[in-house]
Amino acid sequence: MLTVQEPESRQEYGTAKGWRLFIYIFVPPLILLFLAVPIIMWGKNDAQLGFQIGLSALMLGFAGFLVYGLLETIKAKHIITSDKLIYEGILRRKELSLARIKGYRIDQNYTHILPLSFADPKIRIGYTSENYQELQNWLSNRYPDLDVLEKEQDTAKLLENDDLGRTPEEREARLTNALRTAKYLNIAGGAVAGWLLVYPQPYKWAIPIGLVLPLLATIALWLHQGVIRLDEKRNSAYPSLAIAILGPSSSLLLRALLDFEILDYAPLWPQAATIAAGASLALFAGSREFIWHNDSRTGLLFSIVIYSALYGFAATTIYNCVFDEGEGTRYEAQVLSKHRTSGKHTTYYLHVSPWGPRSTAEDVTVSHDYYGEVQPSDTIQIHAGSGQLHIPWFMVLE
């Protein structure tokens, strides 16, 4: 454990040994590579001079960034003396008196040390620092975790609210009940979202459950008025139902986009807007206590709009297609070519000849497996439906 009681004590912490070795081995070759690219390319094709200049500038920028990172690995360190916490880097130095430290916050990558005054510097310690856990223990033994402190203060304030019950015991019981409800609904929301996204079988069970769960979460907002939040707020004692609503709605939207295609969007928009408006009113009614009396009402109202719009479009589209009871019409189309786009998700397209209501060749989306099976000149089957809500749609029969 760190000790700083002695006046002459001074302890230094640089980058952890494992990270230093990794950076020393892999970064210098990358720097040389980025520096070599402009030299190799330069003058090979004068017609692409603008491209060469842009790429060279980009490569030099990457090289400069890596050089800075390498020098920081060599030079940067945190120092604890008897009265100061110091950060020394290659470009700057920060000093914060130990008596001026208010507390700390921890996230995935850093421990943020915050001062009592804005005039004092903030210092952060990365998880790649030497003896990172030991530094965290040193902080926890001397200063409060501000995230924990804020949540405790928020909980104490909540339990003093007479609107939630006549006695502290009643208020605590109501909060406990709300926490349990939010926990179970959020677990269900995450599970249903994964079910819909990864393997939504049986389909006619997965889709209705995905449609109903956000509605159950909205009812929970009404039943636990003023205790359960719709949105997430950092260090709040009030439980949130964001996952229970946002998770299934997002997965329903992805299912609608991946599994079905709309032939005519004109009849979709007014119906989706109606559902979204109804969802907005329901969420607003369930969140009114936070809207009237909370300092984060702007973020809450924004969440209501986003959640409602997402659910309105997803629910309208997926209900229209999945529960279409009409026989529909089957068409044939010839595959002219195929391609895919990559990003966070890879989408697979077949470029097909005109068919049915489509008078020109166009792209249709298919699954990864079907994309691998089908080749140009093959004939595919397309099912077109009128829609349960009279919104025409189609899908490739795989």
Side-chain angles (χ1 to χ4, degrees):
M1 184 178 293
L2 298 174
T3 55
V4 295
Q5 285 80 9
E6 296 296 329
E8 68 276 7
S9 67
R10 176 187 176 94
Q11 301 180 44
E12 299 184 358
Y13 301 88
T15 304
K17 183 178 179 181
W19 283 102
R20 287 203 308 271
L21 289 173
F22 176 82
I23 291 170
Y24 293 161
I25 292 171
F26 290 101
V27 169
L30 286 175
I31 294 172
L32 294 175
L33 176 63
F34 287 135
L35 292 175
V37 169
I39 298 172
I40 294 171
M41 288 189 55
W42 198 255
K44 283 196 171 184
N45 190 342
D46 293 338
Q48 296 183 347
L49 183 60
F51 173 76
Q52 291 177 359
I53 292 174
L55 182 61
S56 297
L58 182 63
M59 294 296 103
L60 291 174
F62 284 150
F65 176 78
L66 290 176
V67 168
Y68 172 78
L70 180 60
L71 293 176
E72 276 284 292
T73 301
I74 298 171
K75 168 73 174 175
K77 57 187 174 182
H78 292 88
I79 303 167
I80 298 177
T81 68
S82 59
D83 60 347
K84 292 179 182 178
L85 174 61
I86 303 167
Y87 166 75
E88 282 188 358
I90 61 171
L91 298 179
R92 57 183 176 172
R93 175 186 170 94
K94 294 181 180 180
E95 292 189 6
L96 177 59
S97 169
L98 299 184
R100 301 289 298 168
I101 294 177
K102 179 181 180 180
Y104 64 94
R105 301 183 191 275
I106 300 174
D107 61 26
Q108 280 184 312
N109 300 316
Y110 295 99
T111 296
H112 301 265
I113 301 169
L114 306 179
L116 290 170
S117 168
F118 289 113
D120 296 317
K122 299 177 182 177
I123 294 178
R124 65 181 186 181
I125 302 173
Y127 74 95
T128 58
S129 294
E130 187 177 16
N131 293 328
Y132 182 60
Q133 186 60 54
E134 188 177 342
L135 284 164
Q136 287 186 320
N137 291 338
W138 176 81
L139 281 167
S140 66
N141 289 334
R142 290 161 177 78
Y143 305 103
D145 182 328
L146 297 178
D147 289 328
V148 173
L149 181 62
E150 286 179 8
K151 188 164 186 177
E152 290 175 349
Q153 292 173 342
D154 203 39
T155 302
K157 183 178 178 181
L158 187 156
L159 293 176
E160 292 174 0
N161 185 353
D162 293 337
D163 293 336
L164 302 182
R166 292 173 297 177
T167 66
E169 290 76 17
E170 287 183 10
R171 296 191 285 269
E172 187 170 358
R174 187 173 175 187
L175 176 59
T176 300
N177 190 25
L179 286 166
R180 186 185 303 113
T181 300
K183 176 183 176 181
Y184 292 150
L185 284 172
N186 284 326
I187 290 173
V192 170
W195 182 17
L196 287 167
L197 191 60
V198 178
Y199 189 70
Q201 298 299 329
Y203 208 81
K204 289 202 172 182
W205 278 101
I207 297 301
I209 292 173
L211 289 169
V212 168
L213 190 58
L215 304 181
L216 294 178
T218 303
I219 293 173
L221 286 177
W222 300 341
L223 296 178
H224 298 275
Q225 182 67 235
V227 184
I228 295 183
R229 300 181 61 93
L230 167 66
D231 60 335
E232 292 276 3
K233 184 182 178 185
R234 184 182 176 91
N235 302 328
S236 175
Y238 296 90
S240 165
L241 286 174
I243 296 175
I245 296 176
L246 190 58
S249 299
S250 300
S251 291
L252 284 172
L253 176 62
L254 286 172
R255 282 270 67 91
L257 296 175
L258 292 172
D259 299 345
F260 310 102
E261 298 195 52
I262 301 300
L263 277 167
D264 183 6
Y265 280 91
L268 169 65
W269 300 122
Q271 297 187 67
T274 301
I275 298 298
S280 293
L281 290 175
L283 293 175
F284 186 93
S287 303
R288 61 185 181 275
E289 289 294 326
F290 292 103
I291 293 172
W292 303 146
H293 305 108
N294 201 276
D295 57 358
S296 60
R297 65 173 59 89
T298 300
L300 179 55
L301 290 171
F302 179 76
S303 296
I304 289 174
V305 171
I306 295 299
Y307 292 5
S308 300
L310 179 62
Y311 184 79
F313 180 84
T316 303
T317 303
I318 205 81
Y319 180 83
N320 174 75
C321 300
V322 173
F323 298 99
D324 185 357
E325 296 177 352
E327 292 184 4
T329 307
R330 184 169 295 190
Y331 299 95
E332 290 186 348
Q334 185 179 29
V335 178
L336 304 176
S337 62
K338 61 182 188 177
H339 64 280
R340 60 187 177 185
T341 59
S342 298
K344 288 186 177 179
H345 301 281
T346 301
T347 306
Y348 300 90
Y349 297 97
L350 301 179
H351 191 63
V352 301
S353 63
W355 59 272
R358 295 302 200 201
S359 58
T360 59
E362 64 175 16
D363 288 342
V364 295
T365 57
V366 294
S367 68
H368 169 268
D369 292 340
Y370 195 65
Y371 180 84
E373 295 174 8
V374 177
Q375 301 301 325
S377 77
D378 286 353
T379 298
I380 64 171
Q381 302 287 321
I382 297 176
H383 173 88
S386 58
Q388 183 69 10
L389 300 175
H390 307 293
I391 303 167
W393 64 279
F394 71 93
M395 65 181 295
V396 176
L397 297 174
E398 301 183 4

